[in-house]
């Protein structure tokens, strides 16, 4: 399967991006990542900020390819698109990002205090690694 197949399935839409839009996403993701690294913030919110950073990094990579996700299963597909936008990214990273996505969803709608410091730290590391990979691919 390719991103073009995803477009035909209506999982994506064509998107004409600009260098400024992608730079803005990367800047916002970096800011989210910095904030997620503040140890005094609760683990739940740190995980949420790291997840947001990862999602923005993934979206920047997708925009650079000329696509944006449709609204149905948007977060899931944005993460899955990394298989095509950053082909060297280990499959384990994508699996970890999905685990973080599910944790974040549960925490946002159930209880943020159920997130451990270890889970938040893992989310920060995953987002930072993804950011480095995305930036390298866009350079």
């Amino acid at each position: 399967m390719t991103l073009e197949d995803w477009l035909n399935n209506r999982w994506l839409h064509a998107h004409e991006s600009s260098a400024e839009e992608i730079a803005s996403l990367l800047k916002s993701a970096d800011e989210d990542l910095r904030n997620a690294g503040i140890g005094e913030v609760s683990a739940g919110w740190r995980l949420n900020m790291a997840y947001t950073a990862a999602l923005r990094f993934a979206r920047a990579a997708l925009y650079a390819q000329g696509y944006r996700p449709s609204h149905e299963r948007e977060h899931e597909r944005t993460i899955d698109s990394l298989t095509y936008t950053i082909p060297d990214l280990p499959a384990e990273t994508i699996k970890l990002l999905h685990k973080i996505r599910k944790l974040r969803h549960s925490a946002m709608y159930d209880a943020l205090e159920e997130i451990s410091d270890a889970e938040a730290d893992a989310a920060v590391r995953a987002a930072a690694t993804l950011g480095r990979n995305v930036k390298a691919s866009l350079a």
Side-chain angles (χ1 to χ4, degrees):
M1 192 163 270
T2 66
L3 290 177
E4 191 66 29
D5 293 330
W6 284 31
L7 180 68
N8 292 333
N9 288 338
R10 297 189 176 131
W11 297 347
L12 299 176
H13 299 288
H15 180 73
E16 190 173 323
S17 189
S18 65
E20 293 80 16
E21 181 179 37
I22 291 170
S24 179
L25 272 172
L26 295 175
K27 181 180 177 186
S28 294
D30 284 336
E31 184 177 327
D32 290 332
L33 197 51
R34 273 192 306 278
N35 290 333
I38 298 171
E40 293 78 29
V41 175
S42 72
W45 280 112
R46 290 188 321 109
L47 182 131
N48 187 50
M49 288 184 281
Y51 174 74
T52 301
L55 205 59
R56 287 180 179 175
F57 286 132
R59 190 176 290 265
L62 190 57
Y63 282 14
Q65 296 291 318
Y67 301 99
R68 67 175 172 79
S70 65
H71 291 294
E72 183 182 345
R73 297 169 59 190
E74 182 175 354
H75 289 203
E76 183 179 350
R77 291 207 172 110
T78 299
I79 292 168
D80 284 339
S81 72
L82 290 164
T83 300
Y84 306 104
T85 59
I86 313 294
D88 294 336
L89 192 67
E92 296 80 33
T93 302
I94 294 172
K95 286 179 187 175
L96 177 57
L97 291 170
H98 277 302
K99 180 181 177 186
I100 294 164
R101 176 180 60 83
K102 290 174 185 174
L103 279 171
R104 178 248 178 210
H105 181 84
S106 293
M108 292 304 297
Y109 298 105
D110 293 328
L112 276 174
E113 62 271 3
E114 293 181 14
I115 302 297
S116 70
D117 284 326
E119 290 167 326
D121 292 343
V124 170
R125 286 191 304 275
T129 298
L130 178 60
R132 286 190 297 276
N133 280 275
V134 168
K135 289 174 185 177
S137 78
L138 296 175

